[in-house]
Amino acid sequence: MGLPALEFSDCCLDSPHFRETLKSHEAELDKTNKFIKELIKDGKSLIIALKNLSSAKRKFADSLNEFKFQCIGDAETDDEMCIARSLQEFATVLRNLEDERIRMIENASEVLITPLEKFRKEQIGAAKEAKKKYDKETEKYCGILEKHLNLSSKKKESQLQEADSQVDLVRQHFYEVSLEYVFKVQEVQERKMFEFVEPLLAFLQGLFTFYHHGYELAKDFGDFKTQLTISIQNTRNRFEGTRSEVESLMKKMKENPLEHKTISPYTMEGYLYVQEKRHFGTSWVKHYCTYQRDSKQITMVPFDQKSGGKGGEDESVTLKSCTRRKTDSIEKRFCFDVEAVDRPGVITMQALSEEDRRLWMEAMDGREPVYNSNKDSQSEGRINEQGLYRIVGVNSRVQKLLSVLMDPKTASETETDICAEWEIKTITSALKTYLRMLPGPLMMYQFQRSFIKAAKLENQESRVSEIHSLVHRLPEKNRQMLQLLMNHLANVANNHKQNLMTVANLGVVFGPTLLRPQEETVAAIMDIKFQNIVIEILIENHEKIFNTVPDMPLTNAQLHLSRKKSSDSKPPSCSERPLTLFHTIQSTEKQEQRNSIINSSLESVSSNPNSILNSSSSLQPNMNSSDPDLAVVKPTRPNSLTPFRKAKALYACKAEHDSELSFTAGTVFDNAECPSASTAIFTATPKLRAPPPLTWALPLAV
């Protein structure tokens, strides 16, 4: 509901109703005044924000105008030229738009801020001044009236008439002021309807003009936008058409980068570190080296990739010879020595990897150093090989070694022949590959979670105790194999100063192999670190874990039931028997005859009789404790094994107890249960404090 009208006739009466109506009009004027002040403030903030926006857009347009596309190749297509020109077109449109925005901002100050401030100061301000005057006259009139009414009637008539005249004058003046104030209040109330709204309309009109200008710019830009859209689509289509081919080439380069090298005038080129002698000692300086086989010229350019600058003058020498550097003769890896015709002394160079060194030596017709043929020193050198089990052998060589070892026709090779012919990284990779090829991990799927939980216990003592107990719950065949492997890895770790393979490094290498999960899940991946911890504990505590009884050992019946479930719950096929341990017991005539045949076969296959003699007597189970409660029921040989045929040793390596893993060539049986597989017999023969020899059966794919 609106405000009640102020009647001029009420000014004379000055009734309470008139005063209430006047107050409501005054409150409305105060409200309008405050609103206009806030509006002016917000309008100024808006203008400042628009100026900042315009400045930011101009800067953005300048950046677009300065950037220039550089296309791949020596020529550009029409589409590429259109795309390259687009940034300058964008900048032009934005600048034109901002020019119009600046005009709008300047106009906004004139059509919005100035009229509002003028209305507030001139109209509302005048009404406030009139109110002050009205209040002052009201106070004056009321004071004189009270004073006049208090005059005594005994005063002279002339004095009373003078007082009456004075009161009439004051009343008349008050009445006039009241009429003027009421007129001003009603005038301001009427004026605000147009003088307040009109500036806002003018401001919006400026905005509409700005937006209309933007619309006109968009219409003018339409043709180029259509052309640019077509060019972008054509460029995208060409990209999608070539992307798959480029990605395929990238994958080929990743798989075998050497086959896709660019044609180079040099036989070999790349970065090498060259040993240089200084006054304070020796230093290794990075060089970009090239070699030309025809001229035998080696060019060395000192260059730092981090700074991107040359570190000295180029040097060229003529190659005389190239020899691989022995690992034990220098602290650095991947080194080889080069002798030059025109430079005295030997130049020692370091390649970036073992494969890189091989390529350089092949290009320079390099030769291997002369090794000591003594087997013990060779074995010691192998155990001290840097990166043992961490450096991976060439996959083709590893597969070839596995094929040779599984081929019965190559059974005539001796342990010495194998160790001399194959590189240590190939042999170690073959062992890791064999363990990964087993249908189930050596530490078994059913115990995998238990081992992980043991590694997560709070203190080390609890972890060792729980893992100790779990190891003795493994089937005998798995535990014996695990013991031999841990003894060997402990010896490797004891030489970590030479081979750089600490217990932690060995845990990283063998954890995922010996404790691989049955299903590949994110949770399993997160538990890899705990698999490594289990292997570390086994290596560090191998003597206690494998040679002593757990604090809370399982009873004989529990061990028998646990192992019987894992091995006798169903007739095992060949693929489900990765490690089947047979203890030959000479209790019957048939078993004695079988042992005799095994021994005669071993003597005919192996050229090292010392490793076979131990198996000529009856094989007894390895018992680490005399406690009868720890007796384990040993599975007998399956009746499906039929006549023997000679085979090659799967893996042979010189070893000592608590040091290296050793397998001696045995015999392969035809398996009647699974015609597609055979079973190879191997004898583990640790030399020091060795338990009685054990016979191992490993499934091999025929």
Side-chain angles (χ1 to χ4, degrees):
M1 187 173 179
L3 295 172
L6 289 172
E7 297 293 342
F8 289 124
S9 59
D10 293 336
C11 294
C12 183
L13 295 176
D14 197 14
S15 64
H17 175 71
F18 170 74
R19 288 283 181 169
E20 290 295 328
T21 303
L22 190 59
K23 283 186 178 181
S24 64
H25 281 264
E26 291 172 349
E28 177 63 22
L29 286 179
D30 288 338
K31 180 181 177 182
T32 302
N33 183 52
K34 291 180 180 179
F35 176 73
I36 292 176
K37 287 179 66 176
E38 290 295 325
L39 191 63
I40 292 173
K41 181 179 178 182
D42 293 340
K44 290 180 178 179
S45 299
L46 175 60
I47 291 174
I48 294 174
L50 289 174
K51 288 181 179 179
N52 293 335
L53 175 62
S54 180
S55 177
K57 284 193 173 183
R58 284 185 178 276
K59 186 176 180 181
F60 179 71
D62 293 340
S63 300
L64 290 178
N65 189 58
E66 292 174 0
F67 184 78
K68 307 293 182 183
F69 274 110
Q70 295 295 332
C71 297
I72 300 175
D74 55 358
E76 296 180 354
T77 64
D78 292 340
D79 294 329
E80 289 174 339
M81 287 189 288
C82 179
I83 292 174
R85 185 165 53 92
S86 64
L87 299 185
Q88 284 70 42
E89 292 291 335
F90 296 158
T92 302
V93 171
L94 289 174
R95 285 172 177 172
N96 290 337
L97 191 63
E98 294 314 308
D99 290 341
E100 184 64 25
R101 190 193 302 274
I102 290 297
R103 285 191 289 271
M104 180 199 69
I105 292 173
E106 293 174 352
N107 187 51
S109 180
E110 296 178 2
V111 301
L112 178 65
I113 304 300
T114 302
L116 288 178
E117 286 183 341
K118 182 179 179 181
F119 174 75
R120 190 181 70 84
K121 291 179 179 178
E122 292 182 0
Q123 300 301 324
I124 299 179
K128 287 186 176 181
E129 291 296 328
K131 181 181 185 311
K132 290 180 181 178
K133 186 176 180 181
Y134 174 72
D135 291 340
K136 182 177 180 182
E137 289 299 326
T138 301
E139 184 178 357
K140 180 179 178 182
Y141 169 68
C142 292
I144 291 177
L145 183 61
E146 289 178 1
K147 183 178 178 182
H148 178 69
L149 296 176
N150 290 329
L151 286 176
S152 173
S153 58
K154 296 180 180 181
K155 291 284 187 180
K156 294 180 179 180
E157 185 66 23
S158 59
Q159 291 179 341
L160 294 175
Q161 290 180 355
E162 183 180 355
D164 291 340
S165 299
Q166 186 177 3
V167 169
D168 291 338
L169 289 174
V170 172
R171 181 184 296 110
Q172 181 64 30
H173 189 263
F174 169 70
Y175 179 63
E176 292 175 356
V177 170
S178 177
L179 289 173
E180 292 175 356
Y181 178 55
V182 168
F183 174 77
K184 190 62 179 177
V185 168
Q186 292 194 128
E187 179 187 17
V188 173
Q189 294 287 14
E190 294 295 328
R191 277 179 174 271
K192 75 176 182 181
M193 301 299 291
F194 55 89
E195 290 195 3
F196 171 53
V197 176
E198 190 176 25
L200 295 175
L201 178 60
F203 175 71
L204 288 178
Q205 184 62 38
L207 281 179
F208 295 151
T209 303
F210 167 72
Y211 290 135
H212 180 72
H213 183 74
Y215 171 75
E216 293 295 331
L217 285 176
K219 285 177 62 178
D220 296 339
F221 188 72
D223 294 338
F224 179 77
K225 183 183 72 172
T226 302
Q227 180 185 357
L228 179 61
T229 303
I230 295 173
S231 298
I232 291 173
Q233 188 61 41
N234 292 339
T235 306
R236 177 180 285 108
N237 293 339
R238 284 193 294 270
F239 167 75
E240 294 296 338
T242 58
R243 183 177 184 276
S244 58
E245 297 180 8
V246 175
E247 187 175 7
S248 176
L249 177 60
M250 179 191 66
K251 290 180 179 179
K252 291 179 181 178
M253 292 287 291
K254 285 183 178 180
E255 293 172 357
N256 198 343
L258 300 180
E259 291 184 0
H260 299 274
K261 280 189 174 181
T262 57
I263 299 176
S264 173
Y266 303 106
T267 307
M268 186 66 185
E269 60 181 322
Y271 283 99
L272 292 171
Y273 284 87
V274 180
Q275 187 182 45
E276 296 183 357
K277 294 183 179 180
R278 305 288 175 87
H279 295 293
F280 53 84
T282 60
S283 63
W284 294 84
V285 181
K286 196 173 189 179
H287 290 68
Y288 189 82
C289 302
T290 60
Y291 174 69
Q292 180 59 260
R293 178 174 288 173
D294 296 337
S295 61
K296 293 196 172 187
Q297 286 292 316
I298 303 175
T299 303
M300 298 176 289
V301 181
F303 189 83
D304 186 4
Q305 291 171 284
K306 292 184 291 185
S307 62
K310 293 176 61 176
E313 298 296 329
D314 301 356
E315 182 180 4
S316 294
V317 296
T318 303
L319 176 67
K320 179 180 179 181
S321 65
C322 174
T323 307
R324 185 173 70 85
R325 190 69 178 264
K326 293 182 179 180
T327 305
D328 55 357
S329 64
I330 193 170
E331 294 181 356
K332 297 284 187 178
R333 304 165 65 196
F334 320 131
C335 294
F336 59 94
D337 294 334
V338 171
E339 292 185 82
V341 175
D342 48 358
R343 173 174 167 171
V346 176
I347 305 174
T348 301
M349 297 181 172
Q350 183 187 25
L352 303 183
S353 64
E354 185 65 35
E355 180 66 16
D356 190 40
R357 177 172 67 176
R358 183 185 67 79
L359 293 175
W360 277 102
M361 291 190 62
E362 286 182 359
M364 296 182 180
D365 299 322
R367 62 176 183 268
E368 293 290 321
V370 179
Y371 288 99
N372 188 351
S373 60
N374 183 272
K375 184 178 178 182
D376 293 335
S377 62
Q378 186 179 23
S379 175
E380 182 180 355
R382 286 175 176 268
I383 202 72
N384 292 333
E385 184 84 13
Q386 289 188 1
L388 191 65
Y389 286 108
R390 180 178 58 81
I391 297 178
V392 182
V394 179
N395 185 56
S396 58
R397 298 275 294 169
V398 173
Q399 297 299 328
K400 184 177 179 181
L401 175 59
L402 289 173
S403 300
V404 169
L405 293 176
M406 292 194 180
D407 188 358
K409 296 180 181 179
T410 59
S412 59
E413 287 192 21
T414 63
E415 175 186 341
T416 305
D417 295 334
I418 293 174
C419 294
E421 179 182 354
W422 300 90
E423 292 180 321
I424 184 61
K425 64 180 181 181
T426 304
I427 298 175
T428 55
S429 295
L431 174 59
K432 292 187 293 182
T433 302
Y434 169 73
L435 292 173
R436 286 194 294 267
M437 288 168 54
L438 296 176
L442 186 61
M443 299 174 73
M444 303 187 68
Y445 287 132
Q446 67 188 80
F447 295 110
Q448 197 262 354
R449 294 304 308 165
S450 299
F451 278 111
I452 295 298
K453 289 180 180 178
K456 294 180 180 179
L457 294 177
E458 293 184 359
N459 58 72
Q460 184 72 3
E461 184 179 353
S462 300
R463 297 173 190 165
V464 174
S465 175
E466 183 65 19
I467 291 175
H468 190 182
S469 176
L470 289 170
V471 166
H472 284 265
R473 291 176 60 190
L474 292 172
E476 186 72 13
K477 57 178 181 283
N478 296 60
R479 184 167 59 85
Q480 291 290 345
M481 176 64 124
L482 186 63
Q483 179 179 3
L484 291 173
L485 181 59
M486 291 302 113
N487 290 343
H488 167 62
L489 295 182
N491 185 44
V492 173
N494 289 337
N495 293 270
H496 69 274
K497 291 184 178 179
Q498 292 78 28
N499 57 38
L500 306 181
M501 292 303 292
T502 61
V503 173
N505 291 341
L506 292 172
V508 172
V509 172
F510 283 92
T513 299
L514 300 179
L515 269 174
R516 69 177 185 269
Q518 196 161 7
E519 295 181 357
E520 293 185 4
T521 62
V522 175
I525 294 174
M526 301 304 294
D527 284 339
I528 288 178
K529 53 181 175 291
F530 296 107
Q531 297 174 5
N532 304 343
I533 292 175
V534 172
I535 302 305
E536 293 176 24
I537 292 174
L538 288 175
I539 296 174
E540 292 175 338
N541 303 272
H542 66 99
E543 292 187 359
K544 173 184 177 181
I545 290 175
F546 293 102
N547 298 332
T548 63
V549 180
D551 293 338
M552 298 180 64
L554 296 175
T555 65
N556 185 29
Q558 289 173 324
L559 280 171
H560 172 61
L561 180 59
S562 173
R563 289 168 183 170
K564 192 167 185 63
K565 283 182 180 179
S566 64
S567 61
D568 297 338
S569 60
K570 62 178 180 178
S573 64
C574 291
S575 62
E576 293 172 339
R577 286 197 303 250
L579 294 171
T580 306
L581 175 62
F582 300 112
H583 290 271
T584 55
I585 305 174
Q586 298 178 352
S587 60
T588 66
E589 181 179 353
K590 188 175 293 186
Q591 290 171 335
E592 292 176 357
Q593 182 181 1
R594 189 172 296 157
N595 286 334
S596 176
I597 295 173
I598 292 174
N599 293 331
S600 62
S601 299
L602 293 174
E603 291 174 0
S604 64
V605 172
S606 175
S607 61
N608 187 2
N610 293 330
S611 63
I612 307 301
L613 291 176
N614 293 330
S615 63
S616 61
S617 61
S618 62
L619 304 179
Q620 300 297 328
N622 177 23
M623 302 300 295
N624 296 323
S625 174
S626 60
D627 191 346
D629 290 338
L630 297 176
V632 180
V633 177
K634 305 299 186 295
T636 59
R637 173 183 296 165
N639 296 330
S640 60
L641 298 179
T642 58
F644 311 118
R645 58 186 176 85
K646 296 181 181 180
K648 176 72 181 66
L650 173 64
Y651 184 76
C653 180
K654 183 178 182 297
E656 292 184 353
H657 186 54
D658 293 337
S659 62
E660 293 186 288
L661 186 62
S662 175
F663 292 105
T664 307
T667 309
V668 173
F669 303 102
D670 290 329
N671 193 333
E673 286 184 351
C674 184
S676 63
S678 298
T679 306
I681 301 300
F682 294 87
T683 303
T685 57
K687 292 187 176 180
L688 301 179
R689 292 194 292 108
L694 302 174
T695 306
W696 302 79
L698 310 174
L700 308 175
V702 175

